[in-house]
Amino acid sequence: MILACDIGLKRIGLAMSVQGIILPLEPILRFNRKQASQELQALLDTKKPSCLVVGLPPENYADTRKRILHFVGLLNFAPVVFVNECNTSLDALEHTHHLKTQKRQKARKDGTLDSLAACEILKRYHEMLV
């Protein structure tokens, strides 16, 4: 099992891959860095994935990269693989076009969209392996 996350300032989208099947998980709503890292650590300890895949933006997003790398540094887990997350949120948004506007807005607020972005990150990881 592989776990992926899309780390944001308000939510952490989560997805897992079991035998190549990618599924979104319940996101972590982030109140502060300590709480969010403890929740993610607890998930890692429970699920025991073989790898953690983390979305990382391109180098021109230096502040965001720095925050993500710091957050991952709070975790006691290895191996961690970083994947370019460029446009994963837009790709995830395409999966919500069938929803009505209110439900699409709810998906943004409750973290569903973030977990769909984590699915996209995991999909990119699988493509890297081929």
Side-chain angles (χ1 to χ4, degrees):
M1 193 259 286
I2 300 170
L3 188 68
C5 59
D6 177 35
I7 300 171
L9 292 174
K10 295 182 180 182
R11 294 165 298 277
I12 298 173
L14 299 168
M16 67 183 227
S17 170
V18 179
Q19 297 179 348
I21 299 171
I22 299 172
L23 300 167
L25 298 175
E26 191 73 29
I28 295 172
L29 300 180
R30 186 173 171 165
F31 301 104
N32 61 59
R33 193 175 340 177
K34 184 177 180 183
Q35 160 267 332
S37 64
Q38 287 174 342
E39 284 190 41
L40 182 53
Q41 185 67 55
L43 182 67
L44 291 167
D45 293 343
T46 301
K47 297 281 187 188
K48 299 186 185 338
S50 60
C51 177
L52 175 63
V53 179
V54 178
L56 193 65
E59 290 182 14
N60 56 322
Y61 292 93
D63 288 343
T64 304
R65 285 175 66 93
K66 185 178 175 183
R67 276 196 296 265
I68 291 171
L69 292 170
H70 176 76
F71 183 86
V72 171
L74 299 174
L75 302 171
N76 181 24
F77 187 83
V80 176
V81 177
F82 294 98
V83 173
N84 183 346
E85 71 170 12
C86 193
N87 295 323
T88 54
S89 293
L90 289 174
D91 292 343
L93 190 59
E94 287 183 19
H95 297 295
T96 65
H97 282 298
H98 66 285
L99 299 175
K100 293 183 180 179
T101 304
Q102 273 186 318
K103 287 196 177 187
R104 213 172 317 138
Q105 289 172 340
K106 182 180 181 291
R108 284 183 179 185
K109 287 191 174 204
D110 69 9
T112 300
L113 188 63
D114 300 279
S115 289
L116 290 175
C119 289
E120 291 296 323
I121 289 166
L122 202 44
K123 180 179 168 189
R124 289 182 185 184
Y125 173 73
H126 281 294
E127 290 170 354
M128 286 172 34
L129 298 177
V130 177

